[in-house]
PDB file of all heavy atoms in Angstrom:
ATOM      1  N   ASN A  62      24.353 -23.731 142.382  1.00 97.00           N
ATOM      2  CA  ASN A  62      24.422 -22.332 142.808  1.00 97.00           C
ATOM      3  C   ASN A  62      23.258 -21.942 143.725  1.00 97.00           C
ATOM      4  O   ASN A  62      22.779 -20.808 143.661  1.00 97.00           O
ATOM      5  CB  ASN A  62      24.449 -21.433 141.560  1.00 97.00           C
ATOM      6  CG  ASN A  62      24.948 -20.031 141.887  1.00 97.00           C
ATOM      7  OD1 ASN A  62      25.635 -19.832 142.879  1.00 97.00           O
ATOM      8  ND2 ASN A  62      24.586 -19.085 141.045  1.00 97.00           N
ATOM      9  N   THR A  67      23.118 -20.020 136.678  1.00 97.00           N
ATOM     10  CA  THR A  67      24.539 -20.038 136.349  1.00 97.00           C
ATOM     11  C   THR A  67      24.636 -19.853 134.840  1.00 97.00           C
ATOM     12  O   THR A  67      23.612 -19.795 134.151  1.00 97.00           O
ATOM     13  CB  THR A  67      25.192 -21.379 136.726  1.00 97.00           C
ATOM     14  OG1 THR A  67      24.632 -22.402 135.888  1.00 97.00           O
ATOM     15  CG2 THR A  67      24.950 -21.721 138.185  1.00 97.00           C
ATOM     16  N   TYR A  86      28.144 -36.140 130.224  1.00 97.00           N
ATOM     17  CA  TYR A  86      28.953 -37.353 130.069  1.00 97.00           C
ATOM     18  C   TYR A  86      30.070 -37.176 129.052  1.00 97.00           C
ATOM     19  O   TYR A  86      30.505 -38.151 128.422  1.00 97.00           O
ATOM     20  CB  TYR A  86      28.082 -38.557 129.712  1.00 97.00           C
ATOM     21  CG  TYR A  86      27.186 -38.992 130.848  1.00 97.00           C
ATOM     22  CD1 TYR A  86      25.840 -38.720 130.835  1.00 97.00           C
ATOM     23  CD2 TYR A  86      27.720 -39.665 131.937  1.00 97.00           C
ATOM     24  CE1 TYR A  86      25.016 -39.108 131.882  1.00 97.00           C
ATOM     25  CE2 TYR A  86      26.913 -40.055 132.992  1.00 97.00           C
ATOM     26  CZ  TYR A  86      25.573 -39.779 132.961  1.00 97.00           C
ATOM     27  OH  TYR A  86      24.763 -40.165 133.996  1.00 97.00           O
ATOM     28  N   MET A  88      30.124 -36.176 126.115  1.00 97.00           N
ATOM     29  CA  MET A  88      29.885 -36.428 124.692  1.00 97.00           C
ATOM     30  C   MET A  88      28.452 -36.253 124.220  1.00 97.00           C
ATOM     31  O   MET A  88      28.203 -36.292 123.027  1.00 97.00           O
ATOM     32  CB  MET A  88      30.343 -37.843 124.335  1.00 97.00           C
ATOM     33  CG  MET A  88      29.570 -38.916 125.061  1.00 97.00           C
ATOM     34  SD  MET A  88      30.343 -40.541 124.950  1.00 97.00           S
ATOM     35  CE  MET A  88      31.409 -40.455 126.384  1.00 97.00           C
TER      36      MET A  88
ATOM     37  P    DA C   5      38.609 -45.934 127.742  1.00 50.09           P
ATOM     38  OP1  DA C   5      39.620 -46.339 126.765  1.00 50.09           O
ATOM     39  OP2  DA C   5      38.994 -45.326 129.030  1.00 50.09           O
ATOM     40  O5'  DA C   5      37.584 -44.962 126.999  1.00 50.09           O
ATOM     41  C5'  DA C   5      36.797 -45.466 125.935  1.00 50.09           C
ATOM     42  C4'  DA C   5      35.841 -44.394 125.458  1.00 50.09           C
ATOM     43  O4'  DA C   5      34.662 -44.383 126.302  1.00 50.09           O
ATOM     44  C3'  DA C   5      36.414 -42.972 125.514  1.00 50.09           C
ATOM     45  O3'  DA C   5      36.092 -42.296 124.327  1.00 50.09           O
ATOM     46  C2'  DA C   5      35.727 -42.347 126.719  1.00 50.09           C
ATOM     47  C1'  DA C   5      34.377 -43.067 126.708  1.00 50.09           C
ATOM     48  N9   DA C   5      33.717 -43.125 128.005  1.00 50.09           N
ATOM     49  C8   DA C   5      34.308 -43.251 129.235  1.00 50.09           C
ATOM     50  N7   DA C   5      33.453 -43.290 130.234  1.00 50.09           N
ATOM     51  C5   DA C   5      32.213 -43.188 129.622  1.00 50.09           C
ATOM     52  C6   DA C   5      30.904 -43.174 130.118  1.00 50.09           C
ATOM     53  N6   DA C   5      30.611 -43.263 131.419  1.00 50.09           N
ATOM     54  N1   DA C   5      29.893 -43.062 129.235  1.00 50.09           N
ATOM     55  C2   DA C   5      30.192 -42.970 127.931  1.00 50.09           C
ATOM     56  N3   DA C   5      31.385 -42.974 127.348  1.00 50.09           N
ATOM     57  C4   DA C   5      32.362 -43.089 128.253  1.00 50.09           C
ATOM     58  P    DT C   6      37.054 -41.196 123.784  1.00 50.09           P
ATOM     59  OP1  DT C   6      36.812 -41.069 122.334  1.00 50.09           O
ATOM     60  OP2  DT C   6      38.414 -41.469 124.300  1.00 50.09           O
ATOM     61  O5'  DT C   6      36.500 -39.892 124.501  1.00 50.09           O
ATOM     62  C5'  DT C   6      35.198 -39.429 124.161  1.00 50.09           C
ATOM     63  C4'  DT C   6      34.862 -38.244 125.045  1.00 50.09           C
ATOM     64  O4'  DT C   6      34.383 -38.717 126.320  1.00 50.09           O
ATOM     65  C3'  DT C   6      36.077 -37.337 125.327  1.00 50.09           C
ATOM     66  O3'  DT C   6      35.686 -35.989 125.209  1.00 50.09           O
ATOM     67  C2'  DT C   6      36.452 -37.688 126.754  1.00 50.09           C
ATOM     68  C1'  DT C   6      35.093 -38.011 127.343  1.00 50.09           C
ATOM     69  N1   DT C   6      35.097 -38.873 128.555  1.00 50.09           N
ATOM     70  C2   DT C   6      33.867 -39.242 129.089  1.00 50.09           C
ATOM     71  O2   DT C   6      32.813 -38.894 128.610  1.00 50.09           O
ATOM     72  N3   DT C   6      33.935 -40.014 130.210  1.00 50.09           N
ATOM     73  C4   DT C   6      35.095 -40.452 130.856  1.00 50.09           C
ATOM     74  O4   DT C   6      35.026 -41.133 131.856  1.00 50.09           O
ATOM     75  C5   DT C   6      36.338 -40.037 130.243  1.00 50.09           C
ATOM     76  C7   DT C   6      37.622 -40.467 130.840  1.00 50.09           C
ATOM     77  C6   DT C   6      36.260 -39.279 129.147  1.00 50.09           C
ATOM     78  P    DT C   9      29.872 -25.259 129.599  1.00 50.09           P
ATOM     79  OP1  DT C   9      28.585 -24.903 128.996  1.00 50.09           O
ATOM     80  OP2  DT C   9      31.060 -24.408 129.406  1.00 50.09           O
ATOM     81  O5'  DT C   9      29.639 -25.468 131.155  1.00 50.09           O
ATOM     82  C5'  DT C   9      28.653 -26.397 131.567  1.00 50.09           C
ATOM     83  C4'  DT C   9      28.791 -26.677 133.037  1.00 50.09           C
ATOM     84  O4'  DT C   9      29.942 -27.478 133.288  1.00 50.09           O
ATOM     85  C3'  DT C   9      28.925 -25.428 133.911  1.00 50.09           C
ATOM     86  O3'  DT C   9      27.760 -25.348 134.710  1.00 50.09           O
ATOM     87  C2'  DT C   9      30.198 -25.689 134.736  1.00 50.09           C
ATOM     88  C1'  DT C   9      30.393 -27.185 134.593  1.00 50.09           C
ATOM     89  N1   DT C   9      31.782 -27.711 134.677  1.00 50.09           N
ATOM     90  C2   DT C   9      32.068 -28.741 135.550  1.00 50.09           C
ATOM     91  O2   DT C   9      31.227 -29.230 136.282  1.00 50.09           O
ATOM     92  N3   DT C   9      33.356 -29.177 135.531  1.00 50.09           N
ATOM     93  C4   DT C   9      34.390 -28.701 134.734  1.00 50.09           C
ATOM     94  O4   DT C   9      35.506 -29.183 134.790  1.00 50.09           O
ATOM     95  C5   DT C   9      34.023 -27.622 133.842  1.00 50.09           C
ATOM     96  C7   DT C   9      35.048 -27.031 132.939  1.00 50.09           C
ATOM     97  C6   DT C   9      32.747 -27.178 133.853  1.00 50.09           C
ATOM     98  P    DG C  10      27.389 -24.090 135.548  1.00 50.09           P
ATOM     99  OP1  DG C  10      25.923 -23.981 135.527  1.00 50.09           O
ATOM    100  OP2  DG C  10      28.241 -22.957 135.116  1.00 50.09           O
ATOM    101  O5'  DG C  10      27.805 -24.536 137.010  1.00 50.09           O
ATOM    102  C5'  DG C  10      27.276 -25.751 137.533  1.00 50.09           C
ATOM    103  C4'  DG C  10      28.016 -26.155 138.787  1.00 50.09           C
ATOM    104  O4'  DG C  10      29.351 -26.599 138.451  1.00 50.09           O
ATOM    105  C3'  DG C  10      28.203 -25.026 139.801  1.00 50.09           C
ATOM    106  O3'  DG C  10      28.015 -25.581 141.085  1.00 50.09           O
ATOM    107  C2'  DG C  10      29.640 -24.580 139.588  1.00 50.09           C
ATOM    108  C1'  DG C  10      30.285 -25.910 139.240  1.00 50.09           C
ATOM    109  N9   DG C  10      31.536 -25.842 138.489  1.00 50.09           N
ATOM    110  C8   DG C  10      31.880 -24.934 137.514  1.00 50.09           C
ATOM    111  N7   DG C  10      33.073 -25.131 137.015  1.00 50.09           N
ATOM    112  C5   DG C  10      33.544 -26.231 137.694  1.00 50.09           C
ATOM    113  C6   DG C  10      34.783 -26.916 137.592  1.00 50.09           C
ATOM    114  O6   DG C  10      35.722 -26.663 136.824  1.00 50.09           O
ATOM    115  N1   DG C  10      34.867 -27.995 138.473  1.00 50.09           N
ATOM    116  C2   DG C  10      33.873 -28.361 139.349  1.00 50.09           C
ATOM    117  N2   DG C  10      34.119 -29.405 140.120  1.00 50.09           N
ATOM    118  N3   DG C  10      32.709 -27.718 139.456  1.00 50.09           N
ATOM    119  C4   DG C  10      32.620 -26.676 138.606  1.00 50.09           C
ATOM    120  P    DC C  11      27.776 -24.687 142.391  1.00 50.09           P
ATOM    121  OP1  DC C  11      26.424 -24.950 142.904  1.00 50.09           O
ATOM    122  OP2  DC C  11      28.203 -23.315 142.077  1.00 50.09           O
ATOM    123  O5'  DC C  11      28.815 -25.328 143.406  1.00 50.09           O
ATOM    124  C5'  DC C  11      28.999 -26.756 143.406  1.00 50.09           C
ATOM    125  C4'  DC C  11      30.340 -27.104 144.008  1.00 50.09           C
ATOM    126  O4'  DC C  11      31.374 -27.006 142.997  1.00 50.09           O
ATOM    127  C3'  DC C  11      30.780 -26.188 145.150  1.00 50.09           C
ATOM    128  O3'  DC C  11      31.214 -26.967 146.235  1.00 50.09           O
ATOM    129  C2'  DC C  11      31.898 -25.357 144.541  1.00 50.09           C
ATOM    130  C1'  DC C  11      32.493 -26.337 143.528  1.00 50.09           C
ATOM    131  N1   DC C  11      33.228 -25.698 142.426  1.00 50.09           N
ATOM    132  C2   DC C  11      34.469 -26.200 142.060  1.00 50.09           C
ATOM    133  O2   DC C  11      34.916 -27.173 142.648  1.00 50.09           O
ATOM    134  N3   DC C  11      35.140 -25.592 141.052  1.00 50.09           N
ATOM    135  C4   DC C  11      34.635 -24.536 140.437  1.00 50.09           C
ATOM    136  N4   DC C  11      35.331 -23.969 139.455  1.00 50.09           N
ATOM    137  C5   DC C  11      33.361 -24.004 140.804  1.00 50.09           C
ATOM    138  C6   DC C  11      32.700 -24.605 141.796  1.00 50.09           C
TER     139       DC C  11
END
Side-chain angles (χ1 to χ4, degrees):
Chain A
N62 198 22
T67 66
Y86 291 105
M88 63 193 89

